[in-house]
Amino acid sequence: MNQVILMGRVTKDIELKNTQSGMATARFNIAVDRGKDKEGNDRGADFPNIVAFGKTAESIAKYTGKGLRVAVIGRIQTGSYEREGQKVFTTDIIADRVKYIDWKEKGGQNGNQGIPEGFVATDESDLPF
């Protein structure tokens, strides 16, 4: 089984590109906190590469950006390529779904008060727990 679930903050604004065939792609990193050790010291963060395609990529570019929190559900994919005669190995998270913890307001402002188009507001009293 190859499934990854990560939550973190987007490290820079999302750049949406298209492949030669016209498919939307978004590449970005998120800062994932490692938590604290037994003494309460911060253990730092990891910055995995995230890649999304199609409607997922378009949605990411529209609703999230630098500093905003997201949860990414996807899979690990490794690869390699040649650069200046050296083999470079890559590890990416291919995003199948992205959940917005924070999102951009209409007009591009960051926040989580407005509800993006296509989303439904949930009152805590509606939750079963």
Side-chain angles (χ1 to χ4, degrees):
M1 177 183 282
N2 182 357
Q3 185 172 25
V4 175
I5 302 172
L6 299 168
M7 185 168 19
R9 290 190 182 273
V10 177
T11 61
K12 62 182 179 179
D13 285 329
I14 309 298
E15 185 176 335
L16 188 65
K17 294 184 178 183
N18 289 308
T19 64
Q20 289 180 345
S21 66
M23 178 179 287
T25 62
R27 290 184 165 273
F28 60 100
N29 298 85
I30 60 174
V32 179
D33 187 15
R34 293 183 186 162
K36 300 192 182 294
D37 63 18
K38 292 178 184 177
E39 290 80 37
N41 299 314
D42 187 8
R43 295 189 312 183
D46 292 302
F47 300 89
N49 299 313
I50 313 292
V51 183
F53 299 97
K55 295 288 184 189
T56 302
E58 292 171 2
S59 177
I60 290 166
K62 185 173 183 178
Y63 292 119
T64 196
K66 183 177 181 177
L68 298 178
R69 294 176 297 163
V70 295
V72 176
I73 302 165
R75 60 188 166 79
I76 295 174
Q77 181 172 294
T78 60
S80 64
Y81 62 93
E82 293 279 332
R83 180 174 37 178
E84 299 176 6
Q86 297 283 2
K87 195 164 199 167
V88 177
F89 294 93
T90 62
T91 302
D92 295 315
I93 305 301
I94 307 301
D96 295 322
R97 294 185 352 204
V98 175
K99 302 289 185 179
Y100 305 104
I101 311 303
D102 303 322
W103 53 82
K104 290 181 183 177
E105 299 276 351
K106 288 184 180 178
Q109 297 296 317
N110 293 349
N112 59 2
Q113 303 302 316
I115 304 298
E117 182 180 324
F119 288 74
V120 177
T122 302
D123 186 307
E124 286 186 16
S125 64
D126 293 337
L127 299 175
F129 48 88

